[in-house]
Amino acid sequence: MKCGKPVEGDSEYCPDCCGKETHFQYGRAAFLYDSLMRGSISRFKYHGRQEYAAFYAYAMYQQFSGMIAEAAPDALIPVPIHRKRRRRRGYNQAELVATELSRLCKVPVVSDYLLRTKSTLPQKELSGRERYLNLCQAFSVRTATQELYKVPRCVILIDDIYTTGSTIEACAKILSRQGVYKIYFLCISIGQRI
Ligand SMILES: [Zn+2]
């Protein structure tokens, strides 16, 4: 019901979402994070296969155009990466997907509002709670952008992989503090915590 992760039996929430208050409404992902997707996303993020963005966005649009229409967002906001990492990699993978998705659903991408101001430690070894605390200090909003445009009221956050939801929640928390009142997410892929 919340993150879209498949669950067993008649549970409505996965163990990561169960009993948790979030600053986002809900979200979905186009693919399960299996070994094929692990390879695909790794080529997309680390080996320059930027053209995959169009395919991912198409799959997201095919499955979730109804959700996008219903949410009626003012903006798609890609989860930002730190500028040092962006410089090293040459692109933000989430922004590429957001741009392709924007072409299909005609919702503008706003990528200069939410910023990643601190690089974080590798998240893999951390528990969900630790990931979240690690991330909470990592994001901020650019006030200059805020003066230029009005704060969007409803947004869809775009990211590559959703695991426990700590990244999306950290972004949603800071956006909601700025007055964004409805926040959804769409990701390429969703997986259980490894
Ligand atoms: Zn969940």
Side-chain angles (χ1 to χ4, degrees), residues 28-31 52-73 76 96-108 156-159 185-189:
R28 293 293 179 263
F31 300 97
Y52 286 11
F55 171 80
Y56 297 143
Y58 183 68
M60 287 154 91
Y61 186 67
Q62 265 193 320
Q63 293 180 65
F64 308 118
S65 58
M67 169 192 160
I68 299 169
E70 204 170 301
L76 303 178
L96 296 182
V97 174
T99 303
E100 293 294 338
L101 187 61
S102 168
R103 263 190 243 276
L104 299 166
C105 68
K106 314 294 181 205
V107 176
I156 299 184
L157 285 163
I158 307 292
D159 206 5
F185 76 81
L186 280 176
C187 289
I188 302 168
S189 187

XYZ file of all heavy atoms in Angstrom, residues 28-31 52-73 76 96-108 156-159 185-189:
382
model
N 5.709 3.948 -6.197
C 5.812 2.678 -6.900
C 7.139 2.595 -7.654
O 7.778 3.607 -7.915
C 4.660 2.523 -7.896
C 3.265 2.385 -7.266
C 3.136 1.072 -6.489
N 1.829 0.909 -5.857
C 1.567 1.193 -4.580
N 2.501 1.688 -3.786
N 0.360 0.979 -4.079
N 7.496 1.378 -8.032
C 8.698 1.168 -8.846
C 8.347 0.253 -10.008
O 7.459 -0.599 -9.897
C 9.801 0.550 -8.005
N 9.041 0.415 -11.109
C 8.694 -0.325 -12.320
C 9.198 -1.768 -12.300
O 8.573 -2.654 -12.878
C 9.229 0.406 -13.549
N 10.332 -2.007 -11.658
C 10.936 -3.344 -11.686
C 11.354 -3.795 -10.292
O 11.734 -2.979 -9.465
C 12.212 -3.349 -12.550
C 11.989 -2.963 -13.978
C 12.226 -1.657 -14.387
C 11.552 -3.889 -14.913
C 12.032 -1.280 -15.711
C 11.354 -3.528 -16.231
C 11.595 -2.227 -16.637
N 19.847 4.127 -21.195
C 18.863 3.274 -20.516
C 17.728 4.104 -19.900
O 16.647 3.595 -19.653
C 19.518 2.464 -19.394
C 20.399 1.305 -19.810
C 20.803 1.118 -21.129
C 20.834 0.389 -18.859
C 21.629 0.055 -21.479
C 21.651 -0.678 -19.205
C 22.054 -0.846 -20.512
O 22.852 -1.895 -20.837
N 17.999 5.366 -19.620
C 17.016 6.226 -18.951
C 15.682 6.245 -19.701
O 14.614 6.218 -19.085
C 17.562 7.646 -18.805
N 15.745 6.273 -21.023
C 14.522 6.345 -21.829
C 13.685 5.078 -21.655
O 12.456 5.137 -21.554
C 14.872 6.562 -23.299
N 14.366 3.932 -21.611
C 13.660 2.663 -21.431
C 13.013 2.586 -20.049
O 11.841 2.224 -19.912
C 14.623 1.487 -21.645
C 14.043 0.158 -21.267
C 13.187 -0.507 -22.137
C 14.322 -0.417 -20.028
C 12.623 -1.731 -21.784
C 13.764 -1.635 -19.668
C 12.921 -2.285 -20.547
N 13.785 2.938 -19.017
C 13.245 2.909 -17.659
C 12.024 3.832 -17.546
O 11.003 3.467 -16.967
C 14.294 3.379 -16.647
C 15.536 2.535 -16.525
C 16.775 3.138 -16.316
C 15.493 1.149 -16.581
C 17.929 2.399 -16.160
C 16.649 0.393 -16.440
C 17.866 1.019 -16.230
O 19.011 0.291 -16.078
N 12.164 5.040 -18.091
C 11.077 6.024 -17.985
C 9.834 5.519 -18.716
O 8.709 5.701 -18.241
C 11.529 7.363 -18.559
N 10.047 4.871 -19.853
C 8.914 4.331 -20.607
C 8.192 3.259 -19.779
O 6.958 3.242 -19.714
C 9.386 3.772 -21.951
C 8.260 3.255 -22.807
C 7.320 4.141 -23.345
C 8.117 1.895 -23.065
C 6.259 3.672 -24.114
C 7.067 1.426 -23.839
C 6.140 2.308 -24.357
O 5.095 1.843 -25.108
N 8.956 2.385 -19.145
C 8.363 1.331 -18.314
C 7.605 1.947 -17.127
O 6.531 1.477 -16.752
C 9.449 0.388 -17.811
N 8.168 2.999 -16.555
C 7.502 3.664 -15.430
C 6.204 4.314 -15.900
O 5.169 4.218 -15.246
C 8.432 4.728 -14.813
C 9.570 4.119 -14.009
S 11.016 5.198 -13.917
C 10.692 6.109 -12.439
N 6.259 4.941 -17.067
C 5.081 5.625 -17.588
C 3.973 4.634 -17.955
O 2.796 4.854 -17.659
C 5.454 6.476 -18.801
C 4.306 7.307 -19.295
C 3.801 8.352 -18.519
C 3.705 7.054 -20.527
C 2.738 9.116 -18.947
C 2.637 7.816 -20.971
C 2.153 8.847 -20.175
O 1.092 9.602 -20.604
N 4.380 3.535 -18.593
C 3.402 2.498 -18.968
C 2.627 2.006 -17.755
O 1.426 1.823 -17.799
C 4.136 1.310 -19.575
C 4.212 1.350 -21.074
C 4.662 0.004 -21.596
O 5.542 -0.635 -21.018
N 4.058 -0.443 -22.684
N 3.339 1.771 -16.653
C 2.694 1.196 -15.477
C 1.987 2.243 -14.618
O 1.009 1.926 -13.953
C 3.726 0.458 -14.619
C 4.284 -0.780 -15.284
C 5.315 -1.483 -14.393
O 4.986 -1.983 -13.321
N 6.549 -1.493 -14.839
N 2.515 3.462 -14.586
C 2.040 4.417 -13.578
C 1.514 5.735 -14.127
O 1.404 6.708 -13.390
C 3.150 4.664 -12.543
C 3.688 3.384 -11.973
C 5.018 3.036 -12.148
C 2.855 2.491 -11.302
C 5.509 1.833 -11.661
C 3.334 1.285 -10.810
C 4.668 0.958 -10.986
N 1.150 5.761 -15.397
C 0.589 7.012 -15.931
C -0.701 7.375 -15.189
O -0.985 8.565 -14.980
C 0.343 6.893 -17.436
O -0.519 5.822 -17.691
N -1.465 6.355 -14.778
C -2.690 6.601 -14.009
C -2.403 7.261 -12.679
O -3.069 8.219 -12.279
N -1.382 6.744 -12.010
C -0.983 7.316 -10.715
C -0.512 8.757 -10.889
O -0.849 9.626 -10.079
C 0.135 6.462 -10.107
C 0.808 7.096 -8.907
S 2.338 6.210 -8.452
C 3.148 7.493 -7.476
N 0.260 9.011 -11.950
C 0.769 10.365 -12.198
C -0.405 11.321 -12.446
O -0.461 12.409 -11.890
C 1.763 10.388 -13.386
C 2.979 9.498 -13.088
C 2.221 11.812 -13.693
C 3.897 9.237 -14.277
N -1.342 10.869 -13.267
C -2.506 11.718 -13.575
C -3.306 12.019 -12.314
O -3.764 13.145 -12.097
C -3.380 11.031 -14.616
N -3.465 11.013 -11.472
C -4.237 11.181 -10.244
C -3.530 12.121 -9.260
O -4.161 12.956 -8.628
C -4.451 9.815 -9.600
C -5.653 9.756 -8.699
C -5.944 8.320 -8.293
O -6.174 7.485 -9.181
O -5.892 8.054 -7.072
N -2.208 11.948 -9.146
C -1.435 12.800 -8.232
C -1.396 14.237 -8.748
O -1.337 15.173 -7.964
C -0.019 12.255 -8.072
N -1.423 14.403 -10.070
C -1.351 15.721 -10.709
C -0.242 16.598 -10.122
O -0.507 17.678 -9.595
C -2.702 16.429 -10.637
N 1.004 16.129 -10.170
C 2.090 16.876 -9.527
C 2.461 18.146 -10.294
O 2.252 18.230 -11.504
C 3.264 15.889 -9.568
C 2.991 15.044 -10.772
C 1.497 14.919 -10.852
N 8.410 17.009 -11.174
C 9.150 15.786 -10.886
C 10.476 16.243 -10.284
O 11.160 17.093 -10.865
C 9.429 14.989 -12.169
C 8.229 14.584 -13.027
C 8.718 13.834 -14.278
C 7.242 13.718 -12.245
N 18.301 11.961 -15.237
C 18.100 11.475 -16.606
C 16.733 10.805 -16.739
O 16.002 11.041 -17.705
C 19.194 10.461 -16.999
C 20.643 10.948 -17.064
C 21.553 9.808 -17.521
C 20.783 12.135 -18.002
N 16.393 9.989 -15.757
C 15.105 9.292 -15.790
C 13.952 10.294 -15.674
O 12.966 10.211 -16.411
C 15.019 8.216 -14.675
C 13.635 7.605 -14.606
C 16.048 7.131 -14.909
N 14.118 11.263 -14.765
C 13.075 12.285 -14.592
C 12.860 13.063 -15.896
O 11.719 13.345 -16.274
C 13.455 13.233 -13.457
N 13.933 13.384 -16.577
C 13.837 14.141 -17.827
C 13.088 13.341 -18.894
O 12.224 13.880 -19.595
C 15.254 14.509 -18.336
O 15.910 15.233 -17.300
C 15.212 15.353 -19.590
N 13.390 12.054 -18.986
C 12.699 11.196 -19.966
C 11.230 11.019 -19.589
O 10.356 11.032 -20.447
C 13.381 9.832 -20.069
C 14.782 9.869 -20.664
C 14.800 10.286 -22.143
O 13.758 10.153 -22.816
O 15.861 10.736 -22.611
N 10.971 10.856 -18.303
C 9.592 10.687 -17.846
C 8.791 11.970 -18.086
O 7.615 11.917 -18.460
C 9.581 10.301 -16.361
C 8.229 9.914 -15.757
C 7.638 8.697 -16.461
C 8.358 9.625 -14.265
N 9.450 13.088 -17.906
C 8.817 14.385 -18.124
C 8.347 14.551 -19.573
O 7.288 15.114 -19.839
C 9.818 15.487 -17.760
O 9.367 16.737 -18.208
N 9.151 14.048 -20.498
C 8.769 14.072 -21.921
C 7.449 13.344 -22.148
O 6.640 13.751 -22.964
C 9.824 13.309 -22.734
C 10.867 14.152 -23.375
C 11.643 13.230 -24.315
N 13.029 13.135 -23.888
C 13.945 14.039 -24.237
N 13.629 15.060 -24.995
N 15.174 13.903 -23.830
N 7.238 12.253 -21.406
C 6.052 11.417 -21.597
C 4.837 11.972 -20.860
O 3.735 11.990 -21.398
C 6.331 9.987 -21.124
C 7.453 9.243 -21.855
C 7.871 7.994 -21.079
C 7.022 8.867 -23.262
N 5.041 12.436 -19.620
C 3.876 12.829 -18.825
C 3.665 14.342 -18.790
O 2.672 14.811 -18.240
C 3.968 12.270 -17.408
S 5.283 12.993 -16.413
N 4.604 15.080 -19.396
C 4.477 16.543 -19.528
C 4.448 17.282 -18.191
O 3.858 18.354 -18.076
C 3.211 16.934 -20.340
C 2.988 16.140 -21.615
C 4.061 16.405 -22.637
C 3.811 15.615 -23.927
N 5.047 15.377 -24.682
N 5.062 16.665 -17.178
C 5.229 17.364 -15.902
C 6.673 17.861 -15.866
O 7.584 17.086 -16.134
C 4.957 16.413 -14.709
C 5.221 17.118 -13.381
C 3.539 15.863 -14.761
N 6.903 19.140 -15.548
C 8.279 19.651 -15.590
C 9.198 19.045 -14.528
O 8.737 18.670 -13.448
C 8.112 21.158 -15.344
C 6.781 21.311 -14.717
C 5.927 20.189 -15.202
N 6.465 14.536 -7.394
C 6.866 13.124 -7.411
C 8.385 13.076 -7.387
O 9.047 13.644 -8.263
C 6.325 12.373 -8.649
C 4.793 12.404 -8.668
C 6.824 10.921 -8.650
C 4.155 11.606 -9.805
N 8.937 12.440 -6.364
C 10.379 12.232 -6.283
C 10.762 11.077 -7.208
O 10.040 10.076 -7.281
C 10.782 11.891 -4.846
C 10.786 13.050 -3.850
C 10.775 12.519 -2.413
C 11.993 13.954 -4.078
N 11.872 11.236 -7.905
C 12.319 10.193 -8.833
C 13.674 9.673 -8.377
O 14.588 10.454 -8.117
C 12.464 10.766 -10.272
C 11.194 11.483 -10.736
C 12.885 9.665 -11.245
C 9.989 10.608 -10.973
N 13.795 8.340 -8.274
C 15.093 7.760 -7.902
C 15.317 6.443 -8.636
O 14.401 5.936 -9.295
C 15.167 7.574 -6.371
C 16.613 7.589 -5.865
O 17.543 7.826 -6.665
O 16.814 7.370 -4.650
N 6.536 9.054 -4.802
C 7.798 8.718 -5.457
C 7.574 7.712 -6.573
O 6.606 6.940 -6.551
C 8.841 8.177 -4.449
C 8.605 6.757 -3.993
C 8.999 5.673 -4.765
C 7.978 6.503 -2.780
C 8.778 4.366 -4.352
C 7.742 5.196 -2.352
C 8.145 4.133 -3.143
N 8.452 7.735 -7.543
C 8.535 6.697 -8.565
C 10.006 6.310 -8.705
O 10.864 7.187 -8.810
C 8.004 7.183 -9.912
C 6.483 7.201 -10.097
C 6.122 7.809 -11.444
C 5.893 5.790 -9.982
N 10.283 5.021 -8.654
C 11.654 4.544 -8.793
C 11.735 3.557 -9.947
O 10.728 2.974 -10.355
C 12.119 3.857 -7.516
S 12.394 5.025 -6.163
N 12.944 3.369 -10.450
C 13.130 2.366 -11.500
C 12.873 0.989 -10.892
O 12.163 0.177 -11.450
C 14.575 2.389 -12.060
C 14.943 3.763 -12.633
C 14.755 1.297 -13.109
C 16.433 3.917 -12.914
N 13.431 0.784 -9.711
C 13.505 -0.569 -9.196
C 13.341 -0.588 -7.679
O 13.720 0.360 -6.993
C 14.894 -1.105 -9.576
O 15.005 -2.441 -9.277
